[in-house]
Structures are given as C-alpha cells and as structure tokens.
Amino acid sequence: EIVTDDTTAATFCYYCHNPTIIPRQLEGEYRPEMVIPFKINRKKAEELFINWCKGKPLLPKFFTSNSELEKLSGIYVPFWLFDSNTSGKIEGEARRVRTYTRGDTRYTETKYYKVMREGKAIFRDVPADGSKKMDDKLMTILEPYDYNDLTDFSMSYLSGFFAEKYDMNQNEVYGRISNVLRNNIGTLLQGTIHGYSTVSIHNANVKLSNVKAKYVLLPVWMFTYQYKGKTYIFAMNGQTGKIAGDLPISIGRASKWFGMISASVFAALSLGGLFIW
C-alpha cells in the first residue's frame, strides 16, 4: 500500500519504485493547464547539489553521503501564473545638493523639487506557489523559470516523480501577487527619475485590471535533512538548476575549522614578529 495525503497526485512505491499516479486528484478544477517538464535528471541534480556543497567546510560529515542523497525527490509543485494590466502613479520630493566655495566660505545649496511619474505596464506569468507545504520564500528564490518550455499538461509527465495538487486557490495567493505587481511598477516608475541627489516617494497609487491566472505544475528537486532536532530544506529548480536552501552547521567541524584558522593566523603573526625583530 502507498500512503498519501489529500494533495498527493503522483508518487511511487518506496520498495520497488513503481510510479503511481492518482488521476482523481487532478480532475476538474484541479487539472493543471500546463506543465514545465524536468530538464535536470536525478543524477545531474545530485551532481549539482554536491558541487554546491563543496567549499562549505562546516557541513556535517555525512550531509552528502549516498544514504542521504536517496532523500532527494523530484516534485511537480502547483503554481499559479498571473497576468495583469497595471497602471501606477507616484508622487514625491527630490533634492539636488550642490557644494561650492567662495573665498574662505564653503556653501551648501539644496534645491527641492516635486516629482511625479505615471505609467502602465503589462505583466505576464508572475508566479505564486499554490501549496501550503512549500516555503514561499524558497520557491521565490528558485525563480525565474523559462515559460517558453510550458507545454500542455499530460499525466505522462508525472511518471517517476511526486506531484501535488494545489491547496491554495488563486484568490488565496492573489495578495502575494498584488504586492509583487505593486512593488514592481513602483520600482519601474521610480527608476525613471534621474539627476537628483535623493528622492523620497510620498504617495503611490496602483490599479490592477484584467487579472487572469492559470494553474501549472513546475519542476523542483527537494532535499530535507534532519540535524540536531532541526529540519533543513534544500531546493533546486528542476529546469534551470538554480539552488536555494538553508544548510546545517556541524559544531565539531566548526570548532576544528576555526581552530585551524586561529592557529594559522597566530603562526603568521609569530613569523612576522620574528622577521621584524
């Protein structure tokens, strides 16, 4: 028997690794419109993960052992991709400061300006994960995906991978998307203000219109590690190989490493002192 939860749409047998898809989990409103297939296979994902960990001497000794790497799992994560027509207006104050000297006196001249900018922008495929299990910050760091690889959804893509259906609908994630769009158009408008020493924005008004969302599955390699009672999560973009995660630190290795550094510094200072003497 395979044990799943309410959101599992695809998994596999832990013993024989036979893929199992649960079609009823992806029916009706839960059927994704599109999917980006995995471009990075398991072997490549392990290689990228090990290379990422190299040069990090404070990791626990067995962090990248074969037994731990078996926990690496390919997951199709549910995402909402939003399109929006966005218009914005910002108002603020700018300053231009000039310093000059006349005779023995130094002057500072400050001029104040009222600045306004107004514009429109069309945003396409702005992502927000639709799974409560996933760390929103971690999923954001894995962006961007190349949405040119989006293809019509088929159950065949899920074979051999885990997959989740969304448990946060488009209305529940809209707040996150709204903040992203508002911040982005604000940044775009403010980026057109040049030639001043400082700029302070006092008012911003943003309107979103023709907002649409489509439900897709995006590929992520996940690795969960338990160490000293704390859970660490590593994630990799299954299309681009971009990596994000929180790595554990071995206290023993840290003490040894800092001890070696201290000894090297002490030796260098001692040799320097003898040379100077």
Side-chain angles (χ1 to χ4, degrees):
E1 293 183 0
I2 294 175
V3 179
T4 68
D5 60 26
D6 291 340
T7 59
T8 302
T11 182
F12 51 84
C13 174
Y14 183 80
Y15 298 98
C16 68
H17 289 274
N18 261 349
T20 300
I21 297 173
I22 309 170
R24 67 177 181 275
Q25 295 282 50
L26 296 176
E27 293 177 347
E29 64 180 301
Y30 291 105
R31 182 178 175 85
E33 292 182 46
M34 309 191 84
V35 59
I36 292 181
F38 274 88
K39 279 195 169 183
I40 296 175
N41 60 28
R42 183 183 187 86
K43 183 178 179 181
K44 183 63 176 179
E46 291 180 357
E47 178 185 326
L48 291 173
F49 176 58
I50 292 172
N51 289 337
W52 185 63
C53 292
K54 286 180 179 177
K56 298 177 174 62
L58 306 186
L59 285 174
K61 185 177 180 181
F62 298 106
F63 187 63
T64 55
S65 65
N66 290 334
S67 59
E68 291 298 331
L69 289 176
E70 288 181 2
K71 300 175 183 177
L72 192 66
S73 301
I75 304 174
Y76 278 107
V77 179
F79 271 80
W80 293 98
L81 300 183
F82 283 81
D83 297 342
S84 175
N85 295 337
T86 309
S87 61
K89 181 179 181 180
I90 59 173
E91 298 180 358
E93 180 184 84
R95 298 182 183 185
R96 187 175 290 151
V97 180
R98 182 172 72 97
T99 301
Y100 59 94
T101 302
R102 286 182 182 172
D104 296 331
T105 305
R106 186 176 182 84
Y107 298 90
T108 298
E109 176 187 80
T110 303
K111 293 183 178 181
Y112 297 84
Y113 302 85
K114 181 178 181 180
V115 293
M116 292 185 295
R117 292 292 188 273
E118 188 172 357
K120 297 179 180 180
I122 299 174
F123 292 94
R124 293 288 180 262
D125 294 329
V126 182
D129 72 271
S131 172
K132 294 178 181 178
K133 299 177 185 177
M134 296 299 168
D135 185 306
D136 296 338
K137 183 178 179 181
L138 193 62
M139 292 299 103
T140 299
I141 295 174
L142 293 184
E143 298 170 17
Y145 285 84
D146 181 358
Y147 297 115
N148 290 321
D149 286 341
L150 278 170
T151 185
D152 291 339
F153 174 74
S154 169
M155 289 287 187
S156 61
Y157 289 114
L158 308 185
S159 182
F161 297 100
F162 290 100
E164 297 282 328
K165 71 176 184 180
Y166 69 81
D167 52 9
M168 296 179 69
N169 63 36
Q170 62 189 74
N171 294 324
E172 291 175 291
V173 303
Y174 176 72
R176 271 188 278 155
I177 289 297
S178 175
N179 289 335
V180 170
L181 296 178
R182 293 175 188 277
N183 290 336
N184 281 350
I185 194 167
T187 300
L188 289 172
L189 292 175
Q190 191 168 343
T192 66
I193 303 174
H194 306 288
Y196 301 100
S197 303
T198 60
V199 177
S200 300
I201 302 300
H202 299 152
N203 297 301
N205 184 22
V206 176
K207 295 181 180 179
L208 309 180
S209 60
N210 295 325
V211 179
K212 300 177 182 178
K214 59 177 174 280
Y215 171 40
V216 304
L217 297 182
L218 301 182
V220 177
W221 284 101
M222 298 287 295
F223 175 76
T224 303
Y225 186 78
Q226 299 283 342
Y227 185 70
K228 301 291 185 180
K230 185 177 178 181
T231 300
Y232 296 86
I233 300 176
F234 149 86
M236 177 190 299
N237 184 314
Q239 180 198 38
T240 67
K242 186 176 181 180
I243 296 173
D246 186 16
L247 295 175
I249 295 177
S250 168
I251 302 301
R253 296 189 112 189
S255 299
K256 182 178 179 181
W257 189 75
F258 284 116
M260 291 171 61
I261 294 295
S262 299
S264 298
V265 171
F266 178 76
L269 291 175
S270 298
L271 288 173
L274 287 173
F275 178 79
I276 292 172
W277 180 261

